[in-house]
Short mmCIF file of all heavy atoms in Angstrom, two decimals:
data_model
loop_
_atom_site.label_atom_id
_atom_site.label_comp_id
_atom_site.label_asym_id
_atom_site.label_seq_id
_atom_site.Cartn_x
_atom_site.Cartn_y
_atom_site.Cartn_z
N ALA A 1 130.45 12.30 54.72
CA ALA A 1 130.52 11.53 56.01
C ALA A 1 131.96 11.36 56.47
O ALA A 1 132.23 11.33 57.71
CB ALA A 1 129.90 10.13 55.81
N VAL A 2 132.96 11.29 55.51
CA VAL A 2 134.31 11.12 55.92
C VAL A 2 135.08 12.46 56.03
O VAL A 2 136.35 12.51 56.25
CB VAL A 2 135.13 10.22 54.98
CG1 VAL A 2 134.48 8.78 54.96
CG2 VAL A 2 135.11 10.78 53.54
N GLY A 3 134.38 13.55 55.95
CA GLY A 3 134.92 14.88 56.18
C GLY A 3 135.80 15.42 55.06
O GLY A 3 136.82 16.07 55.31
N VAL A 4 135.31 15.14 53.85
CA VAL A 4 136.00 15.77 52.65
C VAL A 4 134.96 16.58 51.85
O VAL A 4 134.59 16.21 50.81
CB VAL A 4 136.64 14.65 51.79
CG1 VAL A 4 137.60 15.27 50.70
CG2 VAL A 4 137.34 13.67 52.62
N PRO A 5 134.60 17.75 52.41
CA PRO A 5 133.51 18.53 51.75
C PRO A 5 133.80 19.07 50.42
O PRO A 5 132.94 19.19 49.64
CB PRO A 5 133.28 19.67 52.80
CG PRO A 5 134.59 19.81 53.59
CD PRO A 5 135.12 18.35 53.66
N ASP A 6 135.11 19.39 50.18
CA ASP A 6 135.42 19.90 48.85
C ASP A 6 135.15 18.89 47.74
O ASP A 6 134.69 19.20 46.69
CB ASP A 6 136.90 20.40 48.85
CG ASP A 6 137.04 21.67 49.64
OD1 ASP A 6 136.10 22.46 49.79
OD2 ASP A 6 138.20 21.92 50.07
N SER A 7 135.49 17.68 48.08
CA SER A 7 135.17 16.56 47.09
C SER A 7 133.65 16.37 46.91
O SER A 7 133.18 16.16 45.86
CB SER A 7 135.86 15.30 47.50
OG SER A 7 137.26 15.41 47.48
N ALA A 8 132.97 16.41 48.11
CA ALA A 8 131.55 16.30 47.98
C ALA A 8 130.94 17.41 47.13
O ALA A 8 130.03 17.13 46.38
CB ALA A 8 130.99 16.35 49.41
N LEU A 9 131.44 18.66 47.30
CA LEU A 9 130.92 19.76 46.52
C LEU A 9 131.16 19.51 45.03
O LEU A 9 130.25 19.75 44.21
CB LEU A 9 131.55 21.03 46.96
CG LEU A 9 130.98 21.75 48.11
CD1 LEU A 9 131.75 23.02 48.42
CD2 LEU A 9 129.55 22.11 47.92
N ALA A 10 132.32 19.06 44.70
CA ALA A 10 132.69 18.86 43.24
C ALA A 10 131.67 17.77 42.69
O ALA A 10 131.24 17.90 41.48
CB ALA A 10 134.18 18.41 43.11
N ILE A 11 131.52 16.71 43.44
CA ILE A 11 130.63 15.67 42.92
C ILE A 11 129.21 16.18 42.82
O ILE A 11 128.46 15.79 41.86
CB ILE A 11 130.68 14.44 43.87
CG1 ILE A 11 132.14 13.80 43.75
CG2 ILE A 11 129.69 13.37 43.52
CD1 ILE A 11 132.42 12.73 44.84
N LEU A 12 128.75 16.95 43.79
CA LEU A 12 127.31 17.45 43.77
C LEU A 12 127.16 18.41 42.55
O LEU A 12 126.09 18.44 42.03
CB LEU A 12 127.02 18.13 45.06
CG LEU A 12 126.77 17.26 46.26
CD1 LEU A 12 126.72 18.01 47.53
CD2 LEU A 12 125.47 16.48 46.05
N GLN A 13 128.18 19.11 42.22
CA GLN A 13 128.07 20.02 41.10
C GLN A 13 127.92 19.19 39.78
O GLN A 13 127.11 19.51 38.89
CB GLN A 13 129.30 20.93 40.94
CG GLN A 13 129.43 21.95 41.99
CD GLN A 13 128.32 23.09 41.89
OE1 GLN A 13 127.55 23.17 40.97
NE2 GLN A 13 128.24 24.01 42.91
N ARG A 14 128.63 18.05 39.68
CA ARG A 14 128.42 17.14 38.57
C ARG A 14 127.07 16.56 38.58
O ARG A 14 126.36 16.35 37.52
CB ARG A 14 129.47 16.07 38.57
CG ARG A 14 130.90 16.59 38.16
CD ARG A 14 131.97 15.70 38.52
NE ARG A 14 131.89 14.33 38.16
CZ ARG A 14 132.62 13.33 38.65
NH1 ARG A 14 133.48 13.53 39.59
NH2 ARG A 14 132.49 12.11 38.23
N THR A 15 126.61 16.18 39.79
CA THR A 15 125.27 15.61 39.93
C THR A 15 124.15 16.63 39.43
O THR A 15 123.23 16.21 38.67
CB THR A 15 124.98 15.27 41.38
OG1 THR A 15 125.94 14.42 41.93
CG2 THR A 15 123.61 14.59 41.64
N LEU A 16 124.38 17.88 39.82
CA LEU A 16 123.39 18.88 39.40
C LEU A 16 123.36 19.09 37.87
O LEU A 16 122.26 19.12 37.32
CB LEU A 16 123.85 20.26 40.09
CG LEU A 16 122.96 21.46 39.81
CD1 LEU A 16 121.53 21.24 40.35
CD2 LEU A 16 123.51 22.71 40.43
N GLN A 17 124.55 18.99 37.30
CA GLN A 17 124.54 19.11 35.85
C GLN A 17 123.79 17.99 35.12
O GLN A 17 123.06 18.23 34.16
CB GLN A 17 126.01 19.14 35.36
CG GLN A 17 126.78 20.39 35.75
CD GLN A 17 128.28 20.31 35.47
OE1 GLN A 17 128.78 19.30 34.95
NE2 GLN A 17 128.99 21.39 35.81
N VAL A 18 123.92 16.86 35.62
CA VAL A 18 123.31 15.67 35.03
C VAL A 18 121.73 15.77 35.20
O VAL A 18 121.03 15.58 34.26
CB VAL A 18 123.76 14.32 35.60
CG1 VAL A 18 123.06 13.16 34.91
CG2 VAL A 18 125.29 14.18 35.35
N PHE A 19 121.34 16.11 36.40
CA PHE A 19 119.96 16.27 36.67
C PHE A 19 119.34 17.39 35.73
O PHE A 19 118.17 17.23 35.26
CB PHE A 19 119.61 16.52 38.11
CG PHE A 19 119.59 15.35 38.97
CD1 PHE A 19 120.24 15.23 40.17
CD2 PHE A 19 118.86 14.15 38.60
CE1 PHE A 19 120.19 14.11 41.01
CE2 PHE A 19 118.77 13.06 39.37
CZ PHE A 19 119.46 12.98 40.59
N GLU A 20 120.04 18.47 35.60
CA GLU A 20 119.52 19.56 34.75
C GLU A 20 119.52 19.03 33.32
O GLU A 20 118.49 19.45 32.59
CB GLU A 20 120.50 20.79 34.85
CG GLU A 20 120.41 21.51 36.21
CD GLU A 20 121.39 22.64 36.34
OE1 GLU A 20 122.47 22.59 35.69
OE2 GLU A 20 121.16 23.46 37.18
N ARG A 21 120.45 18.27 32.83
CA ARG A 21 120.39 17.79 31.45
C ARG A 21 119.20 16.87 31.20
O ARG A 21 118.57 16.89 30.11
CB ARG A 21 121.69 16.91 31.15
CG ARG A 21 122.90 17.84 30.84
CD ARG A 21 124.08 16.89 30.79
NE ARG A 21 123.98 15.89 29.75
CZ ARG A 21 124.84 14.84 29.60
NH1 ARG A 21 125.76 14.69 30.53
NH2 ARG A 21 124.65 13.97 28.67
N THR A 22 118.80 16.14 32.24
CA THR A 22 117.68 15.23 32.10
C THR A 22 116.32 15.80 32.40
O THR A 22 115.29 15.22 32.22
CB THR A 22 117.86 13.96 32.94
OG1 THR A 22 117.90 14.33 34.34
CG2 THR A 22 119.17 13.22 32.62
N GLY A 23 116.32 17.08 32.85
CA GLY A 23 115.14 17.77 33.23
C GLY A 23 114.46 17.25 34.41
O GLY A 23 113.18 17.30 34.64
N ASN A 24 115.24 16.63 35.32
CA ASN A 24 114.71 16.04 36.56
C ASN A 24 114.68 17.11 37.64
O ASN A 24 115.62 17.40 38.36
CB ASN A 24 115.61 14.91 37.01
CG ASN A 24 115.05 14.14 38.25
OD1 ASN A 24 114.27 14.68 39.03
ND2 ASN A 24 115.44 12.93 38.37
#
């Protein structure tokens, strides 16, 4: 929303890793 897509991507990659670890 504040126009910092690179930071958003980095956070989403971490989000993906956690969801994969939990099998969600």
Side-chain angles (χ1 to χ4, degrees):
V2 297
V4 191
D6 289 335
S7 295
L9 276 178
I11 293 170
L12 286 169
Q13 291 290 354
R14 285 159 58 193
T15 307
L16 182 62
Q17 291 169 2
V18 178
F19 276 134
E20 287 174 339
R21 282 172 58 194
T22 61
N24 185 333

